[in-house]
Amino acid sequence: MRKKIDWIFLARLKSAVELEYFMKQFPKAKSAHGNSINCTVCPDNIDDHKIRVLYPNCCCSNECQTRFLFNMFLSSGEVIVKTINMHETSAYTVTQQEQQKGISQKYKEAIEKI
């Protein structure tokens, strides 16, 4: 039987754009895999809606055990962020070299609307 992970709730965000800004306070994290499953967050999933579940790992060092859980509601776009083995965020600041070059998700959505 699988061991239940006691995830710690961090935030409930309205969109992927908010998620992008929220995650800037943490070191870079990448996800090796994700799933699209029936919603397990809502107590009564009458309409049988789906969520996308991502499991990003922190990339600050090879020894870092910080993991995140993103529950992304496909119908509404909301995102629930949870974590486990969280480390201090104040020790990490984004320098100019660490910032990713290119168009952010916020501007991509604005361009698509045009």
Side-chain angles (χ1 to χ4, degrees):
M1 182 173 218
R2 291 185 181 172
K3 181 181 176 187
K4 183 179 182 326
I5 298 173
D6 292 325
W7 294 100
I8 300 168
F9 177 83
L10 285 181
R12 186 175 194 128
L13 308 168
K14 299 285 184 202
S15 67
V17 174
E18 285 187 22
L19 175 64
E20 182 179 336
Y21 284 108
F22 179 77
M23 290 305 291
K24 284 186 179 184
Q25 65 183 314
F26 304 107
K28 185 177 178 182
K30 28 182 200 177
S31 180
H33 66 283
N35 300 323
S36 181
I37 61 172
N38 287 332
C39 183
T40 57
V41 178
C42 301
D44 53 342
N45 187 5
I46 296 169
D47 59 349
D48 224 17
H49 59 271
K50 301 272 186 188
I51 59 172
R52 178 151 178 80
V53 182
L54 297 173
Y55 305 95
N57 294 320
C58 181
C59 300
C60 68
S61 71
N62 290 337
E63 295 81 31
C64 183
Q65 296 294 313
T66 299
R67 291 174 44 204
F68 296 96
L69 168 67
F70 299 158
N71 289 322
M72 307 173 98
F73 292 81
L74 299 179
S75 57
S76 66
E78 282 188 83
V79 182
I80 296 176
V81 181
K82 296 180 181 180
T83 187
I84 192 161
N85 300 327
M86 191 66 180
H87 50 62
E88 288 293 322
T89 58
S90 60
Y92 300 97
T93 57
V94 178
T95 63
Q96 194 69 8
Q97 291 114 8
E98 291 173 338
Q99 290 182 349
Q100 185 178 4
K101 304 259 187 251
I103 300 174
S104 71
Q105 184 68 27
K106 174 185 173 183
Y107 293 108
K108 285 180 186 177
E109 288 181 7
I111 291 170
E112 287 177 5
K113 290 179 182 177
I114 295 177

